[in-house]
Amino acid sequence: MAWLLARICFPKKVPRGKFSSCQTRAWSRGTVTAYMPEATAFPGSRDHQGLYQVSVEQTDAFWGVLGRSRLTWINPFHTVSYSDLQQGHVSWFLGGQLNVAVNCLDRHVHKAPEKVALVWEKDEPGQEDRITYRELLEMTCRLGNTMRRQGVKKGDRVTIYMPSCPMAVASMLACARIGAIHTVVFAGFSSAALADRIQDAQSETVITVNQGLRGGKVVPLKETVDQAVKLCPTVKRVFVSKRTDEKVPLSDLDIPLEEEMMKEDVACEPVAMESEDFLFLLYTSGSTGKPKGLVHSQAGYLLYAALTHKYVFDYHDGDVFGCVADIGWITGHSYVVYGPLCNGGTTILFESTPVYPNPGRYWETVERLKINQLYAAPTAIRLLLRYGDDWVKKYDRSSLKVLGSVGEPINTEAWEWYFNVVGDGRCPVIDTWWQTETGGICIAPRPSNPGEEILPSMAMRPFFGIRPSLLDGKGAVLTQNDVSGALCISQIWPGMARTIYNDHQRFLETYLTPYPGHFFTGDGAYRTSKGYYQLTGRLDDVINISGHRLGTAEIEEVVNKHGAVAESAVIGCPHEIKGEGAYVFIVLKKCSNLSQESLTSELQGLVSNEIAKYAAPEYIQVARRLPKTRSGKIMRRVLKKIIENKADELGDLTTLDDHEAVKEIIEGHKQLLQKKQVQQA
Ligand code: WTA
């Protein structure tokens, strides 16, 4: 574990400024039960803190009560939780049967069929579509029936490659209704990345659209699927929905979705699913080249998404919830689809970009749709900040109550701009920390508890049922405050991923064996003197570009495919807007005489085509040799220091095999930066 300690470098800094909604006040018994009606089951809990204590000390009692009251069951559960962390077996709500689509749709249709479930903010500016709970249920049922008729069965994997649109949400829910396992692949991924994910999941079914629209541009999604499917012999059918009026050529595998759906009934019998049946797989990057399909199961995931949505954002009935994440990421799953719909809320489906048709897009949408909670990524906030305050101030943002941030650390400047300019100093800004693995938000300030202080750029407090710990390089739990360590979660919670699809061993090795008895998040954190958590970045070889995780090994694998490249090392470098970018060091094969310009554009093109556009490297530096230990391992920390311009802090170099190579790389880096500056000027 010593390697971990060596890599933890934590800023022990509490940022400037602070938001406090009002003075902390004592809660009455009435307040606590209005806040959480289930509190009557825990007479000792007087306020949020009291409820938190119950949630971590009487875990089964807490989640048992919540599981019964917040979810609708076909058959009740008999055991709240079971865990064997050594084997990586975690189960919640055993013996219970339910259907997630019924929880997200039918039960709300019974109460308020005409309530708006989805507001689809289309790519085309100013054009929204409102879909009621009744309409969404009908769509879901027709789609479920269509899939069933075409042979999709319980337990089958269905790959969804679609932009954020109602048909994509209906596809997810239709899978849940018939017991199929969906795996949404972000529609910005290349055909190669899509094919990898289809193959890993062994999907027989793909759902896509003829074309996507993004920032006013047509994206040929069906074409990408065609290329991917050629590499995937398991695929038996591709449902093609119509997002645009353009006709695209259909092959033998293709089934026009809307045409088939119109032939089907608007009722579709939901399957009774066991709590621990798989609900979905979602691929995310790790520190090896192969993305991992994290598995979430039914009841625990749904309950956790719904509860965090309600309490982290202080969501109330009638609010319009605006999470602008794409449905291809976990944020889209938990806070566009499952959390809000389980709570019977109205949720925005944002299909466009923050700058289309201009940098006022978010704020115009807030005004027109009267959004109450906005949940966005720091990379978008930083980008919009650059365009100045006028784009924001032009629009009425008085509907806003809470502003959320997710995906990466939000720097103080962006936090303060979000708070002061976007929220006019009225709305709490909440920096929410979580991961694909955690299913829902784990650490976040809590505006639902009035009076609690919120400090800039800090995720601060654990959610109900979350017991965070910081561990040192030797694996010991650090008990005091004002310390930094590896962030772990030290008891199970309902939203946690259950395994990696077809690779339980990797699940154990990545999350459970590094610190036995704890779930290791891969992130480092600092606990302030007041006990608040501040995230300090990844401890593994994962970089975070615009809030999207990428393993450096994934990029290296693609770069190494280039005919001229003998060897490469990819390191994350700071980027003003994206947070991090990829900096690629390469050693060329002897015979190569490519110019730096052609090499750069070829490698950027290769990474865009093989992974996704956002992964394209910022810098490509050619080196004669990479710094290695005598045993041949690339010394990444040395490269990291060089690109952070800290060449005088390279640390212990006793194992370095070629000191000359490092000097050359330092020089090469300086030249590359100068060249880039000249180009930008
Ligand atoms: C990072 C996104 C700092 C972190 C929900 C985590 C954050 C990874 C924050 C998960 C935050 C996410 N502050 N870092 N508020 N939120 N991260 O799986 O490194 O796409 O492990 O889930 O993003 O990314 P993922």
Side-chain angles (χ1 to χ4, degrees):
M1 224 33 79
W3 62 274
L4 255 181
L5 195 63
R7 304 184 66 158
I8 300 174
C9 56
F10 305 99
K12 283 198 176 179
K13 174 185 102 186
V14 180
R16 287 167 292 139
K18 93 176 196 180
F19 167 85
S20 187
S21 55
C22 60
Q23 285 309 302
T24 308
R25 55 171 184 255
W27 287 34
S28 67
R29 197 63 205 146
T31 321
V32 73
T33 50
Y35 180 72
M36 184 182 276
E38 294 86 347
T40 49
F42 313 112
S45 58
R46 305 201 162 276
D47 53 15
H48 186 113
Q49 189 55 30
L51 285 168
Y52 172 75
Q53 289 307 340
V54 172
S55 76
V56 288
E57 285 162 13
Q58 304 167 48
T59 312
D60 277 6
F62 180 82
W63 289 114
V65 166
L66 267 296
R68 260 173 234 115
S69 66
R70 303 266 165 149
L71 299 180
T72 297
W73 296 88
I74 297 168
N75 284 308
F77 53 90
H78 54 66
T79 303
V80 178
S81 74
Y82 165 83
S83 77
D84 172 354
L85 283 188
Q86 220 177 350
Q87 300 297 319
H89 296 314
V90 171
S91 308
W92 284 89
F93 308 117
L94 285 98
Q97 287 188 314
L98 79 173
N99 186 279
V100 166
V102 169
N103 275 274
C104 290
L105 299 172
D106 307 48
R107 61 177 180 162
H108 310 310
V109 171
H110 293 315
K111 277 197 225 144
E114 300 312 319
K115 181 169 179 182
V116 174
L118 304 177
V119 184
W120 180 23
E121 174 65 13
K122 296 183 177 184
D123 190 59
E124 298 91 330
Q127 285 196 24
E128 81 263 10
D129 266 3
R130 289 184 157 76
I131 319 281
T132 65
Y133 271 94
R134 182 181 53 76
E135 289 165 334
L136 187 57
L137 175 61
E138 282 184 17
M139 239 170 129
T140 301
C141 285
R142 285 182 193 273
L143 218 165
N145 288 332
T146 307
M147 282 200 279
R148 264 191 188 144
R149 188 175 300 280
Q150 299 290 338
V152 181
K153 302 176 302 298
K154 182 180 169 186
D156 288 356
R157 275 79 53 217
V158 173
T159 298
I160 298 174
Y161 187 73
M162 300 169 100
S164 290
C165 62
M167 196 62 92
V169 177
S171 301
M172 294 162 78
L173 294 170
C175 286
R177 196 165 191 92
I178 66 169
I181 303 164
H182 64 69
T183 162
V184 183
V185 177
F186 171 57
F189 274 123
S190 68
S191 61
L194 173 61
D196 277 353
R197 286 156 177 77
I198 293 175
Q199 276 166 322
D200 189 82
Q202 296 161 307
S203 296
E204 291 182 356
T205 308
V206 179
I207 312 181
T208 189
V209 295
N210 58 341
Q211 296 179 318
L213 286 178
R214 199 162 154 78
K217 295 198 187 87
V218 170
V219 193
L221 294 183
K222 170 65 169 53
E223 243 175 75
T224 309
V225 170
D226 288 344
Q227 287 161 15
V229 165
K230 279 189 203 141
L231 307 171
C232 303
T234 53
V235 174
K236 292 189 180 158
R237 57 192 82 84
V238 178
F239 292 106
V240 186
S241 170
K242 274 176 68 123
R243 169 61 183 89
T244 68
D245 291 330
E246 191 71 22
K247 278 210 164 65
V248 295
L250 295 186
S251 75
D252 291 350
L253 293 179
D254 299 336
I255 301 166
L257 187 57
E258 284 82 359
E259 268 176 45
E260 289 304 307
M261 279 169 65
M262 289 325 290
K263 299 177 193 161
E264 297 293 338
D265 204 74
V266 293
C268 169
E269 186 59 27
V271 175
M273 301 296 286
E274 302 294 327
S275 295
E276 284 301 331
D277 281 338
F278 293 176
L279 175 62
F280 64 84
L281 318 180
L282 189 58
Y283 285 87
T284 187
S285 297
S287 41
T288 72
K290 191 173 176 288
K292 44 196 178 189
L294 284 155
V295 174
H296 282 284
S297 56
Q298 314 266 329
Y301 168 79
L302 186 64
L303 176 63
Y304 196 73
L307 210 71
T308 45
H309 170 249
K310 162 83 188 128
Y311 290 100
V312 172
F313 297 99
D314 197 21
Y315 185 85
H316 288 270
D317 195 27
D319 284 349
V320 177
F321 187 77
C323 168
V324 289
D326 192 280
I327 50 144
W329 310 113
I330 190 69
T331 309
H333 282 56
S334 302
Y335 301 110
V336 175
V337 181
Y338 288 113
L341 294 182
C342 185
N343 287 332
T346 297
T347 177
I348 306 279
L349 258 174
F350 185 78
E351 194 185 26
S352 196
T353 81
V355 288
Y356 178 70
N358 58 49
R361 179 65 186 256
Y362 277 0
W363 324 121
E364 188 275 330
T365 306
V366 166
E367 176 182 279
R368 182 164 33 84
L369 305 183
K370 301 204 170 22
I371 292 175
N372 300 115
Q373 292 89 3
L374 182 72
Y375 195 26
T379 180
I381 309 295
R382 285 192 295 265
L383 177 69
L384 296 175
L385 179 161
R386 279 195 158 187
Y387 287 97
D389 301 358
D390 291 350
W391 282 110
V392 185
K393 292 191 170 152
K394 212 167 139 185
Y395 300 102
D396 176 12
R397 289 150 286 113
S398 56
S399 59
L400 288 173
K401 296 194 281 191
V402 174
L403 299 169
S405 160
V406 61
E408 54 176 314
I410 178 164
N411 50 314
T412 308
E413 186 194 10
W415 192 101
E416 286 182 343
W417 186 78
Y418 205 22
F419 176 62
N420 290 316
V421 179
V422 175
D424 283 327
R426 283 183 307 108
C427 311
V429 168
I430 53 165
D431 175 8
T432 64
W433 175 87
W434 60 297
Q435 321 177 287
T436 305
E437 293 83 344
T438 67
I441 294 164
C442 287
I443 306 184
R446 38 185 185 227
S448 59
N449 185 12
E452 284 202 316
E453 77 172 341
I454 297 179
L455 299 173
S457 316
M458 246 199 243
M460 302 190 79
R461 302 181 180 89
F463 188 70
F464 295 126
I466 298 297
R467 200 191 272 277
S469 310
L470 299 180
L471 279 83
D472 70 11
K474 296 194 184 94
V477 176
L478 299 163
T479 49
Q480 66 277 38
N481 284 348
D482 191 21
V483 286
S484 298
L487 177 67
C488 293
I489 303 178
S490 299
Q491 72 188 28
I492 61 161
W493 68 103
M496 72 187 281
R498 302 295 194 259
T499 186
I500 291 174
Y501 191 66
N502 277 339
D503 201 349
H504 192 65
Q505 192 55 31
R506 188 173 176 197
F507 183 76
L508 285 174
E509 283 165 12
T510 312
Y511 306 109
L512 298 172
T513 46
Y515 296 99
H518 307 264
F519 175 91
F520 175 46
T521 65
D523 282 314
Y526 165 60
R527 188 165 52 228
T528 70
S529 52
K530 284 182 168 176
Y532 301 142
Y533 289 86
Q534 182 171 38
L535 273 295
T536 50
R538 298 288 308 186
L539 300 175
D540 54 14
D541 292 321
V542 171
I543 55 179
N544 192 326
I545 305 179
S546 305
H548 305 321
R549 276 159 70 167
L550 268 179
T552 50
E554 240 175 296
I555 307 177
E556 282 163 13
E557 209 166 89
V558 173
V559 168
N560 293 346
K561 286 185 186 169
H562 190 288
V565 174
E567 190 175 32
S568 68
V570 175
I571 311 284
C573 63
H575 188 282
E576 232 178 284
I577 304 291
K578 299 178 187 175
E580 268 188 304
Y583 192 120
V584 185
F585 291 91
I586 50 173
V587 176
L588 290 176
K589 286 183 181 156
K590 289 262 171 346
C591 52
S592 168
N593 53 5
L594 271 176
S595 70
Q596 170 82 33
E597 284 70 27
S598 3
L599 195 62
T600 305
S601 76
E602 284 179 24
L603 287 175
Q604 284 176 332
L606 191 63
V607 176
S608 301
N609 286 337
E610 295 274 325
I611 304 178
K613 280 209 179 73
Y614 73 82
E618 297 298 322
Y619 295 94
I620 293 184
Q621 180 176 341
V622 179
R624 184 178 55 83
R625 290 205 59 186
L626 296 176
K628 290 192 179 166
T629 59
R630 283 176 207 166
S631 58
K633 202 166 165 14
I634 297 173
M635 293 179 80
R636 290 166 175 281
R637 68 176 170 85
V638 170
L639 294 172
K640 180 93 187 151
K641 286 283 181 204
I642 294 173
I643 62 177
E644 284 170 352
N645 299 317
K646 293 180 184 158
D648 46 352
E649 298 173 24
L650 294 184
D652 180 7
L653 294 180
T654 43
T655 56
L656 180 65
D657 67 348
D658 181 350
H659 289 257
E660 222 27 62
V662 172
K663 283 190 199 144
E664 286 173 20
I665 289 174
I666 296 171
E667 202 40 51
H669 169 67
K670 281 188 197 147
Q671 284 171 10
L672 191 63
L673 287 194
Q674 275 165 5
K675 221 178 191 177
K676 189 109 175 172
Q677 271 165 0
V678 171
Q679 278 167 358
Q680 279 167 351

